[in-house]
Amino acid sequence: MASEAERAQAAASTRNAWLLSTPALVLLFCAAAGPLLIVLVYSFLAKGDYGGVAWNFSTDGWVGILFSRDIFDDTLQLADAHLTIFWRSVKISLLTTLITFALGFPTAWFIATRPPKARAMWLFLITIPFWTNLLIRTFAINEMIRNEGVVNSFLQGIGLISEPIRMINTDLAVLIGMTYVYLPLMVLPLFAAIDRFDMRLLEAGYDLYASRLQVLRHVILPIVKPGIVAGSILVFVPSLGAYVTPRVLGGGKNMMIGNFIELQFGQGRNWPLGAALSIALLLIVMIALIFYVRAATKGSNPHG
Amino acid sequence: MADRSFEVSRLPGFAATAILVFVLLYLPIITLAVYSFNAGKSIALWEGFSFHWYANAWANEAVKSATVRSLIIAFAASAIATTCAVMAALGTTRRKAFRGQTAIYMFINQPLMVPEIVTAVALLILTGVIKAWTGYQGLWYLIIAHAAFCVPFAYLPIRARLEGMDLSLEIAASDLYASPWQTFRHVTLPLLAPGIAAGAMLAFVISLDDVVITEFVKSAGQDTLPTYMLGQMRRAITPEVNAISTALLGLTVILLTAFFLLTRKKS
Amino acid sequence: MRKTLGAIAILMAGTSLAQAEGVLQLYNWGNYTSPELLAKFEKETGIKVTVTDYDANDTALAKIRAGGHGYDLVVPSANYVPIFRDGGLIVELDRSRLKNFGNIAPEWMDVAWDPGRKFSVPWQWGSTGMAVNTKVYGGDINTSAIFLDVPEELKGKINVVPEMSDIVNFAIWYVGGEACTEDTEVLKKARDVLLAAKPDWLSMDYGATERLANNDWAASVNWNGSSMRARILNPDVAYGYPKEGYPLFMDSVTLLADAKNVDEAYQFIDFIMVPENAAMISAFARYANGIAGSDEFMPEDMKTAPEVVTPEEFKAAGNFLPTCSPKSQEYLTAIWTELMK
């Protein structure tokens, strides 16, 4: 049983935790999570004639997520279009996360193992391209992978291919673009985690384990884990709702969930459905995140 | 020691991958930079060298003020977001599990979980009411909105840094009768610095990039560079915007180089 | 340093400036307002115009509706004017303050979306049609079959702009229906035509000017002004007016109900109805305006451009999209969602 003093200390610690978090919580309540209550309310209203909502209670928005009324025979059917869109978004986001990790981990490692002075420079080099705007960057990617773009010209020039490979407006293009756009979101948290890693541990690791792979698994991975968790959240979750990149690079032929929600608030003029879709997405991501964070921090819980 | 750690830390293929990543990262940017010197109006067909678009951009008041506005918002918002994120990270890591921990974590990361358009619509309705009620239509709406969605981007790297960070130095400091603030200022903060730098940089570029929320929250005359460009995209992107981006890029590189040269001299 | 601080202070103060004398807040489509026009207006009247951009009618509508926006003038497309009007978002224009009102060309006076031009004055108008690279495809381009029953040469090389009401209505006309129809038989046919054609499309995107010019796309459903700019860069690009029916658009300047700079707004509206000034608007974005007598001030290349001057034989097929009823809007969205899944 905990002593009186220990309990008091724990209470003080909890109080401090809340106090320190307060500014962030207040800020988010005012300008992010709080306003979402409006969206929640909207999801239970009827749709307005020309966008917006009508102030009558309605569950049409929520029903509309899974079912759509067939416009021709007026029967309620499972909305397979919505499921297709959702599944495509999950697939592309997962792939993006994996690829950014495969490229980002070696990069973060490389940066973290530079001499301290050079480290800051390499770190800046990662973020500099992002001083150009997202639209411009996405557009630049499109330029590169065109039939007459740099990549194809180069491959043709060295005689590797005779006909240009068509990349623009394919799922591959979206993947390339998303990887490009989200890469620093993976590299920076990974770097922050690797950088605090004492390289002397590696030596000990080499003494203990025979192969590099084993060292990677038993010494490096556990310590880098928080960085992997942070990085994959930062990549996966926003890419699920990505809008600009899929539209520009995918050629807009196949929607992702972000585009679909945007459609409801824009040309589709069905705000309640848009609102219900958003809240549903929020809940799904939140539940997935809770499981992910729980599983990821299990066993590596900091002792201090 | 530096040499040895370099040896030990070398993992096969890592350096090569990293270099490849950097090359791929810069290739498109350099292509764009080159085309900003194109004489023609196209950003795909090369028609000769010219400073034409830079002159144009410089003469274009709308582009200039949008750029300055973007930078002001990004600086202010990333400063606020990073401060909040550091405090929250200190509050939520390196403690025994407590009631509400997961709730705070979820709350802080909430902006990541919904597509921007949703937050944007919610903020539009909220700020519309406030603007009509108070009559204030200044830049603070945008700064606060940006700061809010930048918080998780700053928080996650800082938290990753803080988690499992060695406590012994801090305990030693407080054993030496350093006040909590002194301990924080002279021990924790320096240890945390790389995480803060990573978080602040992320917050800054995320703010600089934002289109959707800005589009819905901005008042009259408050175009930022991205919203200005979005308006252009419907018809075609002009090399003018390309020139601005390149100029901004060039400015960053110059400033950073100067910064490195100066700090090198000191040490 | 102080100068910088001053500049920052002004920026932070935001639109507290807007209430000052001699300013005007114009909310317009991006890349649509000639800077020379604004400079000339400022020189003549001393009024400084600040332009803020939007990229979709629905965005503009949502923002104006939310209130507290600070804009004076907005430039909605034809079928949005009634929505703005019926929502009480714009006000009737006081004609006594517009001495150039009579310059509006007769055919643009009594328009369906604003009978008698009580609420709006013309800004620019144009059409949506087929831009085709004639080197790739030599057949008839004055038909929607270009994208609804794609010719062999264009398969996998054609782009379709992601404009829901334009595209679905193209299909409705193609199968013989009327725009914004609620006839489910017609809608079903239109849907089937679209679904059957989609696999032959390369993409559904904007930015056609560039990509027609650099041969990324061999054809695109596109706006006439953009097609003209593409043709200037690439002479192989021609513009077709589908005989089955094609949408016309006109964006019109309207005065917002909560405008603060009303006097300045009237001066600006009056200013753009001067033929010479209207020609400046057109010269910038390459679309026609609705002001009589502006032709003689137009740039030479626009006076004869087949994209801007609609050939007589194709004029009849051009239609303004009406403001669709909420019911028909629901149909359009359902078809669109199925198309884009």
Side-chain angles (χ1 to χ4, degrees), chain A residues 12-14 16-21 23-36 38-39 42 102-107 109-111 113-114 117 120-137 139-141 143-144 146 150 180 183-185 188-189 191-193 195-196 198-200 202-203 206 212 216 220 226-227 229-230 233-234 237-238 241 243-244 247-248 257-258 261-262 265 271 274 278-279 281-282 285-286 289-290 293-294 297 302 304, chain B residues 1 4-15 17-19 21-22 24-29 31-32 43-44 71 80-81 84-85 87-88 90-92 94-95 98-100 102 104-119 121-126 144-145 147-149 151-153 156-157 160-165 167 194-195 197-198 201-202 204-206 208-209 211-212 225-226 229-230 233 237 241-242 245-246 248-249 252-253 256 259-260 263-264 267:
Chain A
S13 165
T14 306
N16 271 343
W18 279 97
L19 273 179
L20 281 167
S21 307
L25 296 181
V26 169
L27 177 62
L28 287 165
F29 183 78
C30 290
L36 278 189
I38 301 175
V39 177
Y42 273 29
L103 293 174
F105 185 65
T107 310
W109 186 268
F110 174 82
I111 297 173
T113 51
R114 295 305 95 192
K117 264 258 138 61
M121 186 197 76
W122 284 104
L123 209 55
F124 272 121
L125 277 179
I126 281 281
T127 43
I128 282 177
F130 297 83
W131 278 71
T132 56
N133 181 272
L134 174 69
L135 291 168
I136 287 272
R137 256 179 293 147
F139 213 79
I141 292 283
E143 279 306 301
M144 304 294 300
R146 283 179 43 219
V150 176
Y180 187 75
L183 192 64
L185 298 183
L188 290 178
F191 164 79
D195 188 51
R196 68 194 167 122
D198 189 343
M199 289 298 166
R200 277 168 299 184
L202 265 189
E203 281 182 61
Y206 281 118
R212 281 199 152 121
L216 194 69
I220 300 174
V229 173
I233 292 174
L234 280 178
V237 180
Y243 170 71
V244 173
R247 202 184 90 178
V248 175
I257 198 157
I261 290 178
E262 205 269 348
F265 286 110
W271 286 32
S278 319
I279 301 285
L281 179 68
L282 178 71
V285 171
M286 216 179 238
L289 215 54
I290 289 175
V293 173
R294 289 250 167 94
T297 47
Chain B
M1 197 206 117
R4 281 205 66 182
S5 76
F6 182 72
E7 280 284 302
V8 176
S9 66
R10 230 181 34 204
L11 294 167
F14 272 33
T17 312
I19 299 298
V21 164
F22 278 103
L24 291 179
L25 219 48
Y26 278 86
L27 212 58
I29 300 296
T31 316
L32 273 190
I43 58 171
L71 290 174
I80 296 171
C84 289
M87 291 177 70
L90 286 169
T92 51
R94 306 190 300 168
R95 278 173 210 280
F98 61 94
R99 192 183 278 272
T102 316
I104 295 181
Y105 188 76
M106 288 298 146
F107 205 81
I108 286 177
N109 287 314
Q110 179 275 324
L112 297 175
M113 298 179 208
V114 284
E116 261 195 280
I117 178 76
V118 180
T119 317
V121 169
L123 282 173
L124 168 70
I125 296 156
L126 186 71
I144 301 273
F149 69 73
V151 167
F153 290 94
L156 285 171
R161 171 86 186 173
L162 206 54
E163 240 168 38
M165 202 167 79
L167 272 179
M201 276 194 276
L202 265 191
F204 189 87
V205 294
I206 290 293
L208 210 57
D209 252 2
V211 195
V212 184
L225 202 52
M229 284 166 47
L230 187 74
M233 205 171 83
I237 290 188
V241 181
N242 197 353
S245 310
T246 309
L248 209 59
L249 203 68
T252 324
V253 174
L256 289 178
F259 175 78
F260 278 113
T263 47
R264 182 163 296 172
S267 54

Side-chain angles (χ1 to χ4, degrees), chain B residues 42-44 68-69 72 124 128 131 136-140 215-221 223 228 230-232 234-235, chain C residues 11-12 15 25 30-32 50-55 62-63 66-71 163 206 209-210 214 229:
Chain B
S42 162
I43 58 171
V68 174
R69 198 171 294 112
I72 291 175
L124 168 70
K131 281 176 188 172
Y136 173 73
Q137 295 175 339
L139 219 47
W140 279 104
E215 180 75 16
F216 279 81
V217 174
K218 73 181 183 190
S219 305
D223 266 323
Y228 178 81
L230 187 74
Q232 310 259 309
R234 177 63 53 113
R235 285 169 175 91
Chain C
L11 274 167
M12 300 291 258
T15 49
Q25 296 288 351
N31 204 11
Y32 212 33
T50 306
V51 184
T52 313
D53 294 348
Y54 57 86
D55 82 319
K63 285 212 66 157
H69 45 74
Y71 302 113
E163 288 285 326
Y206 299 108
T209 313
E210 291 290 331
N214 68 19
R229 289 186 295 204

Side-chain angles (χ1 to χ4, degrees), chain A residues 61-90:
Chain A
W62 286 94
V63 174
I65 294 178
L66 281 181
F67 301 99
S68 58
R69 195 168 287 284
D70 190 289
I71 54 172
F72 302 120
D73 54 22
D74 211 40
T75 54
L76 219 50
Q77 292 177 334
L78 201 64
D80 61 332
H82 302 190
L83 296 177
T84 315
I85 292 166
F86 182 72
W87 174 234
R88 176 183 303 122
S89 308
V90 171

Side-chain angles (χ1 to χ4, degrees), chain A residues 173-197:
Chain A
V174 177
L175 255 186
I176 294 175
M178 302 262 278
T179 305
Y180 187 75
V181 168
Y182 289 111
L183 192 64
L185 298 183
M186 182 62 90
V187 172
L188 290 178
L190 279 178
F191 164 79
I194 298 172
D195 188 51
R196 68 194 167 122
F197 178 61

